[in-house]
Amino acid sequence: MATGLSLHVGLNKVDPDRYEGWDGTLIACENDARDMEKIARTAGFETTVLLTPDGTVDNVTSALGKAADRLGPGDILLFTYSGHGGQVPDENGPDDEPDRLDETLVLYDRQFLDDEVQRAFRACADDVRIVALLDCCHSGSSIEIPGGADGDRGRYLPEPQQRQLYERDLSFLTTLRRSLAEDAAADGATPDALLVSACQDNQTAADGDVNGAFTEALLQVWDAGAFQGGYRKFHRAIQHRLPPTQSPNLYLTGSPGRDFVNQRPFTV
């Protein structure tokens, strides 16, 4: 029997003391995390949930690290995140990020680079199935121009705060990226992971009164487990329920096997 471990992170706000007075208040992210945890638990995963103040870099990396230590070939790791997404200038050159921007998850205490997500996933054994579902802005390739419909609450870190935080944290980010690059060179291969994101890297994702737009569409498509089909069909069905201004992305890293990609979502 395979083992399934899942981590669900939902942040309705961030620590204003760490974000220059900005608290990034949202409404539906904790609901998203709880709803994704319910799907995972019903599917047979052992679940962990981190909500708002517990959604720190240390807690997220610790939970992912503990999962990597336990999982072996044929097992599955599911990571879901609902909150703000951000972007910072990429200092590694255009070969790393064609848009010259690193995407981030805006955790409670600081931004979590897409390269840090990759590092956490690389800690998993070969042939662990890794699935990430991200309901945040700029998330098209987050396992690596604000828009959206008028009136939507976008889940993005506003550009003035992004610029201010980047200038404040430039020295820290430079050191962090150097460490990440060294780890990537030492680890070698890119992990085999599958991401279904709320939008493209250059788009924003809408919050909602109960769920985020992406999570709401996902729940409708999943239909309490009635959905049949693989991840590509799942992605297309979610995509068809959202407007062109928020186009969910299916993004693969490494070389996930066809059997994995064709599996019914949430299969342990």
Side-chain angles (χ1 to χ4, degrees):
M1 291 284 292
T3 296
L5 302 179
S6 67
L7 172 62
H8 310 278
V9 182
L11 284 85
N12 281 348
K13 62 182 296 185
V14 297
D15 182 354
D17 290 338
R18 304 302 295 271
Y19 285 90
E20 300 295 317
W22 179 77
D23 69 3
T25 298
L26 294 167
I27 293 176
C29 299
E30 291 191 357
N31 289 341
D32 292 347
R34 294 188 186 98
D35 287 338
M36 295 307 302
E37 187 274 339
K38 180 179 179 181
I39 290 176
R41 179 165 34 85
T42 301
F45 286 81
E46 295 180 41
T47 63
T48 299
V49 179
L50 298 174
L51 300 179
T52 305
D54 294 324
T56 63
V57 170
D58 283 349
N59 286 343
V60 170
T61 54
S62 175
L64 291 174
K66 290 177 181 177
D69 289 342
R70 288 187 55 190
L71 296 172
D75 293 337
I76 183 168
L77 170 64
L78 170 64
F79 173 54
T80 74
Y81 170 79
S82 183
H84 285 289
Q87 293 178 313
V88 295
D90 175 35
E91 304 297 337
N92 295 328
D95 290 338
D96 179 46
E97 294 281 0
D99 60 3
R100 303 300 301 271
L101 295 169
D102 274 328
E103 281 67 49
T104 71
L105 305 181
V106 181
L107 297 184
Y108 189 72
D109 53 343
R110 73 164 173 85
Q111 295 186 77
F112 195 55
L113 298 178
D114 52 6
D115 294 330
E116 293 181 89
V117 180
Q118 281 282 344
R119 179 171 64 180
F121 289 169
R122 282 198 306 272
C124 290
D126 292 343
D127 297 324
V128 171
R129 292 167 289 148
I130 302 172
V131 178
L133 302 170
L134 307 181
D135 194 346
C136 60
C137 299
H138 311 305
S139 55
S141 61
S142 289
I143 54 177
E144 261 202 297
I145 300 171
D150 291 341
D152 285 345
R153 290 187 303 273
R155 293 180 169 183
Y156 60 89
L157 179 59
E159 194 277 335
Q161 277 77 20
Q162 290 190 52
R163 184 174 62 253
Q164 185 178 24
L165 291 168
Y166 178 73
E167 292 171 353
R168 185 195 71 184
D169 297 336
L170 181 56
S171 177
F172 167 77
L173 290 170
T174 300
T175 302
L176 174 61
R177 284 185 170 118
R178 186 179 300 117
S179 172
L180 291 167
E182 292 171 354
D183 288 348
D187 292 339
T190 301
D192 295 339
L194 184 154
L195 162 70
V196 182
S197 69
C199 61
Q200 304 296 313
D201 284 347
N202 64 342
Q203 293 180 326
T204 59
D207 196 27
D209 294 330
V210 178
N211 291 109
F214 170 75
T215 300
E216 180 180 17
L218 183 153
L219 293 171
Q220 292 171 353
V221 169
W222 183 242
D223 193 17
F227 175 82
Q228 298 296 321
Y231 284 99
R232 294 190 188 278
K233 181 179 178 182
F234 192 54
H235 162 250
R236 287 194 299 269
I238 296 170
Q239 191 175 54
H240 289 160
R241 291 178 178 267
L242 291 168
T245 51
Q246 184 177 335
S247 182
N249 193 35
L250 176 66
Y251 184 81
L252 307 179
T253 69
S255 53
R258 181 176 298 180
D259 289 345
F260 172 25
V261 178
N262 291 337
Q263 276 180 344
R264 182 169 173 264
F266 311 113
T267 295
V268 174

